Amino acid sequence: MIQQITKGIKISVKTSFQGAFLKNYKTHFAFTYHITIENQSNDSVQLNSRFWLIKNSLSKNEIVNGEGIIGKKPVLKPGERHTYSSGCLITSPFGAMSGYYNMINFTSTKTFKVKIPTFKLSAPFALN
């Protein structure tokens, strides 16, 4: 598990390989990631949007950004956590993801970025 704390917000990430399949005559590798966002600060916060950089060892990197996470904009009071799962497809057995969440602190009304630590995507059959 990979973890990082930014401004009192702890991000924990766990990944798993789901398998490989052919799509449009190209092999794709499927990965899921499970993320826990924990508010260790003294203020209530809300996640508004996300930014992802998906690195693929055999092709171009992909950027994904948008509103919320899986259709939600969770509000976290001090001590609360939100967990969700999502996934990605890449065209190589190795890759990585990193990014950040844009959040708002309800006490100060200021927006801030919470770093998502870089985590590796690797198919177990491809490892030594």
Side-chain angles (χ1 to χ4, degrees), residues 86-97:
S86 191
C88 71
L89 293 175
I90 58 176
T91 57
S92 71
F94 299 108
M97 290 179 66

Side-chain angles (χ1 to χ4, degrees), residues 57-90:
S57 65
L58 295 177
S59 65
K60 292 181 180 180
N61 294 337
E62 182 181 353
I63 292 176
V64 176
N65 57 45
E67 294 283 315
I69 48 174
I70 59 169
K72 298 179 181 176
K73 292 183 177 182
V75 173
L76 299 168
K77 295 177 183 170
E80 290 185 337
R81 62 177 62 177
H82 178 81
T83 301
Y84 74 99
S85 297
S86 191
C88 71
L89 293 175
I90 58 176

Side-chain angles (χ1 to χ4, degrees), residues 37-75:
I37 304 163
E38 184 178 350
N39 185 358
Q40 297 181 340
S41 77
N42 295 321
D43 301 317
S44 292
V45 298
Q46 182 176 27
L47 188 152
N48 289 323
S49 63
R50 82 232 180 256
F51 172 90
W52 287 109
L53 173 61
I54 303 170
K55 297 179 181 181
N56 188 337
S57 65
L58 295 177
S59 65
K60 292 181 180 180
N61 294 337
E62 182 181 353
I63 292 176
V64 176
N65 57 45
E67 294 283 315
I69 48 174
I70 59 169
K72 298 179 181 176
K73 292 183 177 182
V75 173

